[in-house]
Amino acid sequence: MLVSRIHLRLFAAAVVLLAAGWLGLRAAAQSPSFLPGVQKNYRPDSVSDCSAIQQAIDNLPASGGVVLVTGSYLCQAPVVIARDQVELRGEGPSATLRLADGANSPLLIIGDTATPPARHHQMTVRNLVLDGNRAHQSLECWGGPCDSGGLTFIRNNGLTVRGVEDVLVENLGIFSARSGGLVAEKNVRRLTVRGLEASDNQFDGLAAYQTEDSLFTELFLHDNPFAGLSLDIAFNRNVISAAILADNGKQGIFMRDSRDNLFQGVQIRNSGEMGLFLAQAEGGPATAATGNTFAGLVVSNSAQM
């Protein structure tokens, strides 16, 4: 993953964004800092079970704080960050969360697990590897048939971001999730994803629905059986920059119901079907992908045109 990170950093350095005020997204393009001043850092117990991480998050003071993770942790259930002003930060290259065999759950959730979710603000996750262990999971959704009530509205993604505002996700590797790699949903606003590698996830590397005014940059989304990027259902006024989408099974970018987004410095390589697929959803022309800007887009070696 280190080689991929260096590659992306060099690629990102060559990308020049359009005017800083493009659609008012200048604020989204800055790395947010949600924990001002001196903050106490909290470490989970020395045991390697993710319940220790969850307990450390739950025991933070009302003002929030930083939970530091070193080494590898096995998760029988997802780690959930449903509190404001909380950061989960890995220390060192071995900081890994791995889903246990047969857990049939997401691995990490930023936001509330109820549907619809309560609103939360100002959370950060950085410097972690998320291993969804999909070969040993049997369900796409949390604990049962999808959308049958309760937790089954949540897919078993590596990282699910839902119903939150002003969130930073930085320097993550997400691999082998039973559903998607990183999925943003349920009215996300001002999400910054910077430095993401996602591969071998059952569906898409990164998917976003009902997500607006956000930044996705320094992406390496490769070898996912479906799309590198899947964008649908009110994906509006976002910036996607410095992205390499390679060797994905279907589309490099699958896109519907998405408006007024900027794609800059995106390379799509060796897609199993189309490199770039823009369409309307079943709702008709009002759900088409419209008003989007592509600058510096390179598409090569797609199996279908």
Side-chain angles (χ1 to χ4, degrees), residues 243 245 265-269 295-300:
L245 317 178
V266 176
Q267 297 184 19
I268 303 174
R269 307 170 182 166
L297 174 68
V298 177
V299 181
S300 61

Side-chain angles (χ1 to χ4, degrees), residues 52-278:
I53 299 175
Q54 188 65 62
Q55 184 176 20
I57 293 171
D58 295 343
N59 288 341
L60 289 172
S63 58
V66 180
V67 173
L68 302 174
V69 175
T70 304
S72 182
Y73 283 75
L74 189 66
C75 299
Q76 303 289 341
V79 173
V80 178
I81 305 174
R83 300 184 54 185
D84 297 354
Q85 300 263 6
V86 170
E87 177 175 337
L88 179 64
R89 182 195 307 165
E91 289 192 311
S94 64
T96 301
L97 308 185
R98 176 180 170 83
L99 196 63
D101 291 359
N104 286 309
S105 75
L107 185 49
L108 177 60
I109 298 173
I110 302 175
D112 196 62
T113 59
T115 302
R119 301 299 288 175
H120 290 284
H121 311 266
Q122 299 181 332
M123 299 105 103
T124 298
V125 171
R126 52 164 46 111
N127 305 339
L128 285 171
V129 174
L130 306 180
D131 179 355
N133 188 20
R134 73 181 178 107
H136 296 96
Q137 312 301 323
S138 58
L139 299 175
E140 180 188 351
C141 293
W142 191 354
C146 292
D147 304 322
S148 58
L151 297 175
T152 66
F153 289 110
I154 304 177
R155 267 60 179 171
N156 293 334
N157 307 309
L159 170 58
T160 300
V161 182
R162 58 195 329 253
V164 295
E165 299 177 345
D166 302 308
V167 166
L168 172 64
V169 174
E170 188 171 47
N171 296 331
L172 258 62
I174 305 179
F175 308 104
S176 302
R178 179 58 181 81
S179 190
L182 187 157
V183 177
E185 62 175 11
K186 306 298 182 187
N187 299 308
V188 171
R189 300 290 182 272
R190 297 181 301 280
L191 166 67
T192 296
V193 176
R194 184 186 305 277
L196 169 67
E197 180 177 359
S199 70
D200 191 40
N201 299 291
Q202 182 76 28
F203 294 106
D204 311 310
L206 190 159
Y209 318 110
Q210 295 178 319
T211 297
E212 296 182 333
D213 303 317
S214 297
L215 171 69
F216 303 85
T217 190
E218 299 174 33
L219 310 176
F220 185 28
L221 312 176
H222 63 97
D223 297 286
N224 299 285
F226 282 74
L229 274 172
S230 179
L231 310 171
D232 202 353
I233 313 176
F235 181 82
N236 303 326
R237 302 186 307 279
N238 303 290
V239 172
I240 300 90
S241 71
I244 297 173
L245 317 178
D247 300 291
N248 293 293
K250 291 187 178 292
Q251 298 86 19
I253 300 176
F254 175 92
M255 193 172 178
R256 307 182 305 185
D257 195 3
S258 302
R259 294 172 177 79
D260 302 323
N261 301 287
L262 169 64
F263 296 79
Q264 177 134 13
V266 176
Q267 297 184 19
I268 303 174
R269 307 170 182 166
N270 307 321
S271 299
E273 294 183 0
M274 291 73 67
L276 175 62
F277 179 86
L278 281 73

